[in-house]
Amino acid sequence: MFGNGNNHKLKIFSGRANRPLAEGIAKVLAVPLGNMTLGDFPDRETSVRIEEDVRGRDVFIVQPTSTPVNDHLMELLIILDAFKRASPARITAVLPYYGYARQDRKDKGRVPISAKLVANLITKAGADRVLALDLHAAQIQGFFDIPVDHLYAVKEIAKHVRSLGIDQSELIVLSPDEGSIKKALDFQKNVGGKISVADKRRTSATEIKHGHLIGAPVDGKSVVIYDDMISTAGTIVGAVNVARQHGAKAVYVCATHGVLCGPAIERLGSAKIDQIAITDSIPLPPEKQLPNIKVISVASLIANAIQRIHGNESVSELFKDEPPITREINTK
């Protein structure tokens, strides 16, 4: 079993995509973050050197493939290759955000399935296991030929929503489109209230139009819009506008991944939103920090999963109510 004897000790390393989250994970587990030097050659090729012995260790590498996606993905692959050649017992790629996840099927002619390509690259580079958070499409787990542990931040976000003190009789969980109904239903199970759906119609490749609401009325109610990510915020803001047009007295937006690219910040800043809650799966730079954005940490969630993987325990137990980490981990 991992954690016994001199070898197989837990080691956590971080790429440059989200070091604060990796530091938070290491703090929860009470282990030091591994020592690794990352840099760029003059031509911007990535340079990696592991600065400590990892032979026979249980290694976890924290690296979301967020913006700039190609840079962070390539860095992850090079880090994995470096570790594969350093003879650890096991390498787990911890992906709080999985880039290219939206290209998960061939829905038209002559297009790639990039999510599968990325899975192949991560596996070939040396990962023995993957730990992911709120994949955009659950079937991406099947693209890997190695074990994948899929975490959900729904309980952490639901806990925050419950702390807002919204009366159950006034709470409406609003799915921003028909494709997100299942996620909204799972969220509603954790926060209560009733469910509604914003009817979204795509008018072009870049334009969408929201119209009607399907389900519970929102007039005079507090609406919570839930999705797995906010990218350009077109879908989210469209749902916000529909809720307001139908008389919602308060609108809250919740998502796991704050991708916030393109016109997202401008759209969110001009929309009538009481609060936007996202997790720290992707770092939030100063230029994207709106006054009404609340960041929820997933460090404890990921740390608990790492602890369970390290101890060969069930990760699915995390989705039941249980006390925080108390057991000791061999890190010497």
Side-chain angles (χ1 to χ4, degrees), residues 15-217:
R16 290 178 287 183
N18 196 347
R19 188 175 176 89
L21 175 58
E23 290 172 344
I25 294 168
K27 183 178 180 181
V28 172
L29 290 169
V31 302
L33 204 57
N35 190 11
M36 178 171 59
T37 300
L38 297 167
D40 296 304
F41 291 109
D43 60 356
R44 295 192 63 190
E45 291 180 0
T46 299
S47 168
V48 174
R49 179 177 171 81
I50 306 163
E51 302 289 358
E52 59 183 277
D53 177 28
V54 295
R55 183 177 293 272
R57 307 306 200 253
D58 191 14
V59 171
F60 293 80
I61 301 161
V62 181
Q63 177 80 338
T65 52
S66 50
T67 305
V69 179
N70 294 340
D71 289 351
H72 288 153
L73 174 59
M74 195 66 203
E75 182 173 282
L76 171 64
L77 299 177
I78 295 172
I79 291 171
L80 287 169
D81 185 77
F83 276 97
K84 180 176 67 172
R85 299 173 191 279
S87 302
R90 178 174 62 185
I91 305 170
T92 301
V94 181
L95 307 174
Y97 173 73
Y98 187 89
Y100 286 108
R102 283 167 290 189
Q103 300 179 50
D104 62 338
R105 62 195 181 279
K106 190 172 180 181
D107 54 357
K108 60 189 73 166
R110 299 177 298 280
V111 297
I113 306 178
S114 303
K116 169 60 175 170
L117 171 62
V118 170
N120 290 344
L121 290 170
I122 290 171
T123 304
K124 187 66 176 177
D128 298 304
R129 193 178 196 99
V130 166
L131 176 60
L133 175 66
D134 274 326
L135 291 168
H136 188 61
Q139 68 262 24
I140 291 173
Q141 297 173 77
F143 293 169
F144 287 90
D145 294 323
I146 55 177
V148 177
D149 291 296
H150 190 196
L151 303 180
Y152 302 90
V154 63
K155 286 187 178 294
E156 281 68 22
I157 298 174
K159 181 180 178 181
H160 168 70
V161 170
R162 289 195 299 269
S163 73
L164 298 174
I166 303 172
D167 189 280
Q168 285 289 304
S169 63
E170 295 186 351
L171 176 60
I172 303 292
V173 174
L174 176 62
S175 174
D177 57 25
E178 295 87 342
S180 301
I181 292 175
K182 186 178 184 301
K183 296 169 190 172
L185 286 169
D186 289 340
F187 187 68
Q188 186 229 354
K189 290 178 184 177
N190 285 273
V191 298
K194 296 181 179 179
I195 195 83
S196 191
V197 183
D199 180 28
K200 183 182 81 171
R201 305 296 170 93
R202 185 168 293 279
T203 57
S204 71
T206 57
E207 295 293 328
I208 56 176
K209 182 180 180 181
H210 282 82
H212 304 289
L213 281 177
I214 303 168

Side-chain angles (χ1 to χ4, degrees), residues 238-298:
V240 170
N241 292 338
V242 169
R244 290 294 186 183
Q245 290 164 11
H246 284 75
K249 71 173 185 179
V251 178
Y252 303 90
V253 169
C254 300
T256 301
H257 308 299
V259 180
L260 305 179
C261 59
I265 294 300
E266 181 181 352
R267 285 173 172 172
L268 292 171
S270 60
K272 197 174 179 184
I273 304 172
D274 292 87
Q275 187 185 78
I276 304 163
I278 56 175
T279 77
D280 57 353
S281 64
I282 298 173
L284 186 67
E287 65 271 15
K288 295 183 179 181
Q289 292 177 4
L290 294 172
N292 60 342
I293 288 184
K294 166 73 175 178
V295 178
I296 302 164
S297 179
V298 290

